[in-house]
Amino acid sequence: MPALTDKIFLPISIFVLNVVLAAFKFVLANAVGACFAIYAMRGCEYAKSVGWIRSSGYREMIKTSYSTFKRKNVPSSVKWALIVAFIATLVANFLDKGIASFVAPGFRLGQPKKSLVISPQALVFGMFFGWNFVVPVNGSVESTMEQALNSSVANPSPDDGHVYSPVRSEYTPVCTDFEFRFQNETMRNGTGCVVEIEFPSSSARTLIKTERSPNRWSIIMATTPWVSDDVIVDLQASGLLYFMDRNSWSSKTDDSFFFQERSRDGNNYPRTSITKYVYFNGDIAVAAMTTTRLPGVMDEDDLAVAFSTYHSDDLLSTMNETIRTKTIPAPPGQEWQKMIAEIRVVNSTVDAFVCSIYYNEPSDEEQFLCVYVTMAMHVFKQPVHSNQIQLIIEKLKEKQYPCLHMVLEYFPEITKENKAVPISTMKLRDDTVVVADYMARIGSTFFADFRENKVYILYDKAEIEAGLEIPLWVLIAAGIIMLVSLCVWQLTQWLVGPPHTSSLYSIVRTQLEERSVTPFPRLMRFKLPLMFEDVNLLPDKVENLPDEIGTLPEDIKSE
């Protein structure tokens, strides 16, 4: 139920609003006149004059009020009635303007209709061109996804005056008990699907594996060197997702970084890679992997400073403690190097903070290269909302290759000192979960075909309807005022009746008609000094004026 302060959309134009406000003003003005008709019926002999003066306009009311307040023999109630008449007339004439001030132009969406958009794409280095999107500073990752799916690369020719929203629906998870492996080391057993995070190496040995909780591990491994003679470092994270009963990778996401050693102020911004697959049985898998690298290759002191700039996290604090206390065993031989990983699994989300340690010749000083990886994934079934989409799914099931690959890139906030503020691992983890869930909800409505270079998106297409918005309390108040005013006006016409509800003109005409043999016209001819239809209403000379006239000021007598 909407709150009183909420705005209500009215599908009307400004012209219709002006007509409604004119009717409101008309009814309110007649209700004010009805109130003074009741006053005339129950008040003193001045009461009817107050109502007639009110209908004559503001100037007449001001002049009459000024002269009346000088007369001592006029009751105070009549003087106050003149003030009330002035205020009530103002309110009746300007209340509609006050209501109009609360009204603003508004829009709403009409009834959506399904619309399948097929857009051609340009394939560049295994990915469609233009499917890299930037998450703004302090921006919402879901809003970025919405904008991406309404961009020109997704929907190049939208109809004007319409809004496109990808069709969303709930999904039924197929895998709820993931088995997790790191560098082929099983960290958690499961019964449904297998999730792996790997870093390339020709071989790896586990030196120490510590289970800190059922979903939290520390592991120290020995791996083959990742550093070549030209100091090019390759730290590539691959997320793998597959069914336990299949002897092949059914789904894979890759997020690779190849960079040269640079200054320690070098920026390595977070990046989220999103992938989708359709299995042979029609199940859909989506995976979102976010990676961010600590800047450059660092020694132990620099690494401690880098850790301190990130949001406090159990993974980082434990990693820092392990490095600081020198509890890392030596590798089996010179051809090996060390790798430390702090890992956490929550539901279908994996977090890993990984550092590779190698030695800088000839000083033999330890150097660290660290990366944070978070991965969220879903394998699910979902209803299909279009026969065309069903045909596309059948085609993708047979091809067994990725049916989506897009990237989100984060640009951090820059300080006045021209330094980037690191984005917390907590935000990256939460955003990755949001992205994976969002992609799952549009799982059966958004596909890419990398063989035919096309993107298919099923939209809810809704027309934008123009109208007006008004606060609910204003609408209710105006409705109550108009209803009460209409009731007062009509009841007064029925119960009080003429002459109290009639104008002075109507009373004069009625009196003349009662004294005439022939009917008087509704519209009568008027001549000065006071003649209607050649009938003089005033005697030539007024005699025997009331005594009270002598108490009037001289200026009033002249009137």
Side-chain angles (χ1 to χ4, degrees), residues 290-302:
T290 301
T291 59
T292 183
R293 185 192 299 275
L294 269 65
V297 179
M298 299 173 286
D299 57 26
E300 185 176 330
D301 293 335
D302 294 330

Side-chain angles (χ1 to χ4, degrees), residues 201-499:
S201 61
S202 58
S203 59
R205 265 185 220 177
T206 300
L207 301 179
I208 298 177
K209 175 183 173 183
T210 305
E211 183 175 346
R212 301 186 180 276
S213 72
N215 295 309
R216 174 76 173 84
W217 303 270
S218 299
I219 188 169
I220 300 175
M221 307 186 80
T223 62
T224 50
W226 293 347
V227 184
S228 59
D229 294 336
D230 57 0
V231 202
I232 295 180
V233 182
D234 172 11
L235 187 56
Q236 175 182 340
S238 296
L240 309 173
L241 175 62
Y242 57 95
F243 286 108
M244 296 184 68
D245 58 352
R246 295 182 184 172
N247 193 23
S248 62
W249 306 132
S250 297
S251 179
K252 177 181 178 182
T253 65
D254 293 311
D255 197 353
S256 304
F257 291 88
F258 300 90
F259 66 93
Q260 288 183 320
E261 187 177 22
R262 62 186 72 178
S263 66
R264 292 190 175 95
D265 289 333
N267 294 320
N268 300 277
Y269 299 148
R271 189 169 186 251
T272 300
S273 180
I274 307 164
T275 309
K276 178 191 290 187
Y277 293 82
V278 178
Y279 295 118
F280 285 112
N281 61 356
D283 293 346
I284 300 173
V286 296
M289 172 182 281
T290 301
T291 59
T292 183
R293 185 192 299 275
L294 269 65
V297 179
M298 299 173 286
D299 57 26
E300 185 176 330
D301 293 335
D302 294 330
L303 188 63
V305 173
F307 281 165
S308 65
T309 62
Y310 283 84
H311 189 278
S312 178
D313 188 282
D314 174 53
L315 300 181
L316 273 71
S317 60
T318 306
M319 175 76 74
N320 190 30
E321 181 68 18
T322 301
I323 295 174
R324 188 179 62 82
T325 55
K326 310 290 185 180
T327 57
I328 306 172
Q334 292 184 350
E335 73 276 10
W336 297 82
Q337 69 182 40
K338 293 174 287 188
M339 184 173 68
I340 314 170
E342 297 293 334
I343 303 166
R344 176 175 51 224
V345 177
V346 179
N347 297 326
S348 59
T349 303
V350 179
D351 294 298
F353 196 84
V354 182
C355 284
S356 174
I357 307 173
Y358 68 97
Y359 295 92
N360 186 22
E361 298 180 356
S363 64
D364 207 31
E365 179 186 4
E366 283 188 342
Q367 299 289 304
F368 297 85
L369 180 64
C370 298
V371 62
Y372 171 74
V373 181
T374 181
M375 184 177 178
M377 69 293 295
H378 297 285
V379 181
F380 56 91
K381 295 181 181 294
Q382 195 172 47
V384 178
H385 301 276
S386 166
N387 292 332
Q388 293 173 293
I389 288 290
Q390 184 63 53
L391 294 175
I392 295 168
I393 292 176
E394 294 298 326
K395 180 173 61 175
L396 294 174
K397 282 164 53 177
E398 298 174 359
K399 296 180 178 180
Q400 282 296 290
Y401 57 84
C403 58
L404 177 66
H405 190 193
M406 60 186 294
V407 173
L408 302 180
E409 296 180 292
Y410 289 80
F411 282 179
E413 182 180 357
I414 306 300
T415 64
K416 294 180 180 179
E417 293 77 21
N418 202 29
K419 292 185 178 181
V421 178
I423 300 174
S424 73
T425 56
M426 185 180 300
K427 173 177 171 53
L428 295 177
R429 181 174 63 248
D430 293 344
D431 281 0
T432 305
V433 171
V434 170
V435 168
D437 180 69
Y438 181 87
M439 294 305 299
R441 282 183 284 136
I442 61 172
S444 62
T445 59
F446 175 31
F447 297 97
D449 191 331
F450 289 95
R451 299 286 174 86
E452 298 185 5
N453 295 342
K454 293 179 180 179
V455 165
Y456 307 90
I457 307 178
L458 183 66
Y459 289 101
D460 275 329
K461 178 182 174 183
E463 185 178 2
I464 301 175
E465 297 179 359
L468 302 172
E469 289 183 343
I470 183 171
L472 179 59
W473 71 268
V474 175
L475 188 63
I476 293 175
I480 292 174
I481 291 173
M482 189 168 185
L483 181 62
V484 171
S485 299
L486 185 63
C487 292
V488 170
W489 174 31
Q490 293 301 314
L491 287 175
T492 303
Q493 292 291 325
W494 179 40
L495 297 176
V496 177

